[in-house]
Amino acid sequence: MKNTSSPARRGLVYKMVLAPYSLWALLFILVPLIFVAYYAFTDQNFNFTFDNITRFFTATSTVSDGEAVKEIHTYLVIFARSLKLAVISTVICLIMGYPMAYIISRSSQRTQNILITLIMIPMWMNFLIRTYAWMTILQDTGILNGLLARIGLGQVHIIGTEAAVIIGMVYDYFPYMILPIYSVMAKMDVKLLEAARDLGCNSAGVLRRVIWPLSLPGVISGVIMVLIPSISTFYISQKLGNGKFYLIGDAIEGQYAANNLHFAAAIAFILMVILLVCMALMQRGANKKAMVA
């Protein structure tokens, strides 16, 4: 039967289907961002000011380094520490998640369903419960040290270190790396891989010239989905780091708890702008690399 629906009618149906999502995005994404920006550029009396923004870059604190006493830019140092731990966690997730996503995508449909379910199961548990579970595992009298003692390897101190914070980040955000990469690889045409091998590519060549360029959109999505929550987390650092590592999420939470909403909003706004710029640069670099490949 011939399709008699007009383009205008199809466009109207398309807009009606998108209307609920558009309303959701407006109310719960755009409006909160506007409030964050408004608070970031106003003072306690809601007068326009840049003081909150400049305070982030200029605030200093005095620290003692042996006999020397020096001033450091407080929030810039906190941001650098947060970025370091987030990047390390993201790289670890990518190194472990990329081959796992490829193996899952090349498995049978039944195996794919089982493996994806196993990956998703931890996400069904509450975030706080997962974090407390790792506290039980990593503490000095925890499960890990008990196991090491039984096999005669002695104890290791992990809880309260950067390593513990990274472990918590990797565990909590690892599925967010696998799922986007898997979704792209699962749609990859197997004939392209066969054609590459027929043209003389070995396994490494197929990976570098075919699989990696085609999977870049999933990699970029996975990196963003892991990096953003990792850099802004605060509960993981408080519990697994024993509060020794003050991250940018802790700074925002601390200012909010102190009822300094305007400076908390300024920190969140600056973090959002930095992340948006990084995402745009990553996407631009990925597009150029895909075109070259």
Side-chain angles (χ1 to χ4, degrees):
M1 181 180 294
K2 186 177 180 181
N3 187 6
T4 58
S5 61
S6 64
R9 183 180 179 85
R10 290 196 298 268
L12 178 61
V13 173
Y14 182 73
K15 291 179 181 178
M16 290 177 64
V17 171
L18 287 180
Y21 171 77
S22 301
L23 180 61
W24 177 275
L26 177 65
L27 292 178
F28 297 101
I29 299 178
L30 184 59
V31 172
L33 290 179
I34 292 174
F35 272 101
V36 169
Y38 175 70
Y39 270 77
F41 289 97
T42 55
D43 58 18
Q44 298 292 341
N45 297 319
F46 293 97
N47 298 316
F48 180 80
T49 180
F50 282 106
D51 290 346
N52 298 317
I53 303 297
T54 56
R55 178 183 171 186
F56 177 86
F57 295 99
T58 60
T60 60
S61 60
T62 303
V63 296
S64 176
D65 185 12
E67 296 182 355
V69 177
K70 59 182 180 180
E71 286 189 345
I72 60 172
H73 291 280
T74 308
Y75 295 102
L76 294 180
V77 171
I78 295 172
F79 175 75
R81 183 188 302 124
S82 304
L83 182 61
K84 180 187 73 172
L85 297 182
V87 169
I88 293 174
S89 303
T90 303
V91 170
I92 294 173
C93 287
L94 179 59
I95 292 174
M96 295 193 306
Y98 192 88
M100 186 175 294
Y102 178 77
I103 292 171
I104 296 174
S105 67
R106 299 277 78 86
S107 303
S108 64
Q109 188 60 49
R110 183 171 180 274
T111 303
Q112 289 185 32
N113 294 337
I114 293 174
L115 293 176
I116 291 299
T117 301
L118 292 176
I119 293 171
M120 293 289 293
I121 283 176
M123 300 177 65
W124 299 348
M125 292 185 293
N126 186 275
F127 178 83
L128 304 183
I129 295 176
R130 300 201 304 267
T131 305
Y132 271 106
W134 274 107
M135 290 175 61
T136 304
I137 294 172
L138 299 178
Q139 63 186 355
D140 294 339
T141 58
I143 297 174
L144 178 60
N145 276 316
L147 179 62
L148 293 176
R150 283 181 177 273
I151 61 178
L153 295 180
Q155 290 188 339
V156 291
H157 178 70
I158 301 178
I159 197 75
T161 65
E162 289 187 350
V165 177
I166 292 172
I167 289 173
M169 289 180 179
V170 170
Y171 176 79
D172 283 313
Y173 305 127
F174 185 54
Y176 298 119
M177 180 65 74
I178 293 180
L179 296 178
I181 300 176
Y182 159 75
S183 65
V184 172
M185 287 185 170
K187 300 173 184 176
M188 197 177 297
D189 193 347
V190 180
K191 295 180 180 179
L192 294 175
L193 309 183
E194 296 174 350
R197 292 190 178 94
D198 291 341
L199 292 173
C201 273
N202 54 21
S203 298
V206 172
L207 174 63
R208 182 172 62 89
R209 295 177 178 272
V210 181
I211 298 176
W212 176 253
L214 292 178
S215 64
L216 268 180
V219 172
I220 296 298
S221 298
V223 168
I224 292 172
M225 292 177 67
V226 173
L227 182 65
I228 291 178
S230 295
I231 201 173
S232 58
T233 187
F234 63 93
Y235 193 79
I236 295 175
S237 60
Q238 290 178 1
K239 296 304 178 181
L240 298 183
N242 285 343
K244 297 178 182 178
F245 305 100
Y246 200 67
L247 304 183
I248 200 69
D250 298 306
I252 296 173
E253 191 265 347
Q255 294 297 325
Y256 180 83
N259 202 31
N260 194 355
L261 304 182
H262 298 269
F263 187 53
I267 300 175
F269 180 81
I270 293 170
L271 181 61
M272 179 182 65
V273 171
I274 293 173
L275 291 176
L276 288 175
V277 171
C278 292
M279 289 165 52
L281 293 176
M282 290 169 56
Q283 189 65 51
R284 183 177 180 182
N287 293 337
K288 287 185 176 180
K289 190 169 183 179
M291 292 176 62
V292 171

